[in-house]
Amino acid sequence: MAETKREIERKYEATEKTALPDLVGTGSVAAVRDEGVTELDAVYYDTRDLRLAADGLTLRRRTGGADAGWHLKLPVAAGIRDEIRAPLSETLPAFLAGLLRSRVRHAAVVPVVRLRSSRDVRHLLDDDGRPLAELSVDTVRADRLTGTGQAAWTEIEVELADDGDEALLDAVEKRLKKAGIRPSAAPSKLARALEETGTAPPAREDGPGTPGTAGHAVLAYVREQADAIVALDPAVRRDLPDAVHQMRVACRRMRSAFKTYRKVLDRGVTDPVGEELKWLAGELGAARDEEVLTARLDARLDALPNTLLLGPVRARLRARGARRAADARHTALAALDSARHLALLDTLDALLSDPPLRKAAAQDASEVLARAVRKDFDRLARRVEHALELEPGQERDLALHAARKAAKRTRYGADAARPTLGKPAKRFAKRVKAVQSLLGEHQDSVVARTALREIAVQAHAAGETAFTWGLLYGREEAAALEGESELPAVWKRAAAPGIRAALSR
């Protein structure tokens, strides 16, 4: 069974003659305990073109030490990685293979580097003898396995204990620097081994198109979303908070970019890709939608006094949410494991390497992007104004939902233009986001009312009172009407002439 450990560490250059300073009194360090020397032997795996290393991931099979086994390290932030461990076995565990799938695709992972390390370990302890951090002096020998090449070095590694305070690492670093010990330039042992044996992955080249052109700007945004989809794949598999939502948003942002900037990228090529992105977002959507709905109804129940909670309402909601969440997660994981998903990732790579640029792609980015965003805004204006002309009811609900989708597309288009247009695009996007949020809240109420009616019918059929569900239905209806009454003012602020006009400056 795999387990995860948040690894927060810093590395420093050293030699065999480097003398460590006394760290007692550094921050909350009360004592330093020598743990002796451990011999570690690790084989690192990657594709032959080093796709994992290029994205900052490391996969190893290590013997020796207290944590022998398979280790996959996924970057979180500078100096912070999640280390996912699986028991020692001859073959790569299936769970870890799944976490690599979006990056390796159909390629095999093979041994690329072997690292043998003598690790001299010291524990930094607090007043109660509890470990605050582990400091090790590692003498490393690297052997390239996909060719010839060797390297050797010594480094110091300081890793924070679980739930430790990063301020301790700052204090230790300050003490080490005073002793003449400097931070390492290499982010990991593998990165250093690859660099020093001449096998480092190639740096990613700047995207196609000339900087300053519309093509270059739009492709940079599309690549950002494609990278997010790939990086979020393992996060969704691990069921990390907000991962499904963020992956779904990346799909939607890319689809919107294809539509908004259709003068830049040929829709004859991007439309089929957009349909596949729509499919993936839809498969992920069930999990996200159920999460949002359950949280909303929970909050509605919390707002009611206990005297109005008639029947097993919380138990019914929990059972419904758990059942639907399990079904939704199964759907999402099946999509990620499908050949269709891998084909989409390959298609995105192909599109970015050979983009279907149109004539406008060679034009000035600020003019082309501003014009496209203004056009989307005009479309949004027509939908909002149409919705406001309708009487409250189902027809208006549908019109407001259509306006919401137009607001989302307009906002995403403005977000894509921010690196080019700067503050005017940021301000514009903020105003449109306010419209989108209000319309989103309205749509959530529409969805909640549908769910509440279904729950009430089920409760009634089970012999329970449907009173509480009916009460919540009425409150959702009132919330929707309140949002509709707020829309004219929010829209007036977003549609102020200066907001739209500023995009053309």
Side-chain angles (χ1 to χ4, degrees), residues 221 224-226 228-229 232 236 242-257 277 280-282 284-285 288 404 408 411-412 415 436:
Y221 182 77
E224 181 182 337
Q225 308 317 314
I229 291 170
L232 286 164
V236 171
D242 210 35
V244 167
H245 173 58
Q246 292 300 327
M247 190 172 185
R248 192 182 184 191
V249 167
C251 293
R252 287 176 166 175
R253 284 181 177 274
M254 193 185 300
R255 280 190 72 217
S256 289
L277 291 167
L280 179 57
L284 297 170
R288 172 61 179 173
R404 177 201 180 198
K408 188 176 295 186
R411 174 196 160 198
Y412 289 163
D415 285 342
Q436 177 196 330

Side-chain angles (χ1 to χ4, degrees), residues 194-248:
L194 291 173
E195 182 71 32
E196 295 196 10
T197 59
T199 56
R204 173 177 285 180
E205 297 180 359
D206 200 9
T210 304
T213 63
H216 188 270
V218 172
L219 287 172
Y221 182 77
V222 171
R223 180 177 292 282
E224 181 182 337
Q225 308 317 314
D227 288 347
I229 291 170
V230 169
L232 286 164
D233 182 301
V236 171
R237 293 173 187 274
R238 295 169 61 200
D239 203 18
L240 295 185
D242 210 35
V244 167
H245 173 58
Q246 292 300 327
M247 190 172 185
R248 192 182 184 191

Side-chain angles (χ1 to χ4, degrees), residues 33 69 98 143 240 262 274 332 453:
R33 185 172 66 209
D143 293 286
L240 295 185
R262 56 190 177 277
R453 186 182 183 281

Side-chain angles (χ1 to χ4, degrees), residues 242-431:
D242 210 35
V244 167
H245 173 58
Q246 292 300 327
M247 190 172 185
R248 192 182 184 191
V249 167
C251 293
R252 287 176 166 175
R253 284 181 177 274
M254 193 185 300
R255 280 190 72 217
S256 289
F258 290 157
K259 294 176 180 178
T260 298
Y261 300 112
R262 56 190 177 277
K263 297 292 186 181
V264 177
L265 297 175
D266 184 356
R267 287 192 64 178
V269 176
T270 62
D271 275 356
V273 182
E275 286 301 309
E276 291 304 287
L277 291 167
K278 181 180 180 180
W279 162 78
L280 179 57
E283 296 298 283
L284 297 170
R288 172 61 179 173
D289 291 344
E290 191 58 40
E291 177 186 335
V292 170
L293 176 61
T294 299
R296 184 183 185 92
L297 297 184
D298 263 333
R300 292 295 192 204
L301 288 176
D302 289 342
L304 291 178
N306 289 334
T307 54
L308 298 180
L309 299 179
L310 305 185
V313 289
R314 290 194 182 277
R316 178 167 288 279
L317 182 59
R318 282 196 299 270
R320 178 187 184 277
R323 182 177 65 254
R324 292 186 172 229
D327 291 344
R329 177 155 176 78
H330 175 77
T331 298
L333 293 179
L336 296 186
D337 284 334
S338 69
R340 187 173 181 179
H341 177 50
L342 290 188
L344 171 59
L345 297 181
D346 288 341
T347 298
L348 294 178
D349 285 348
L351 185 146
L352 287 165
S353 64
D354 185 19
L357 297 175
R358 299 187 66 195
K359 185 177 180 180
Q363 297 173 9
D364 179 73
S366 59
E367 294 180 6
V368 174
L369 271 59
R371 187 164 58 246
V373 174
R374 290 197 302 270
K375 189 171 182 178
D376 271 357
F377 182 81
D378 292 342
R379 176 172 169 269
L380 168 61
R382 291 192 297 271
R383 292 195 178 186
V384 171
E385 289 161 7
H386 169 65
L388 290 175
E389 292 172 354
L390 299 173
E391 293 296 322
Q394 185 177 16
E395 188 178 355
R396 191 181 205 188
D397 289 345
L398 292 173
L400 289 171
H401 184 43
R404 177 201 180 198
K405 291 190 285 188
K408 188 176 295 186
R409 173 169 153 182
T410 304
R411 174 196 160 198
Y412 289 163
D415 285 342
R418 279 178 61 179
T420 300
L421 302 179
K423 289 184 178 179
K426 180 180 180 180
R427 186 182 178 204
F428 177 88
K430 184 178 180 180
R431 297 287 180 89

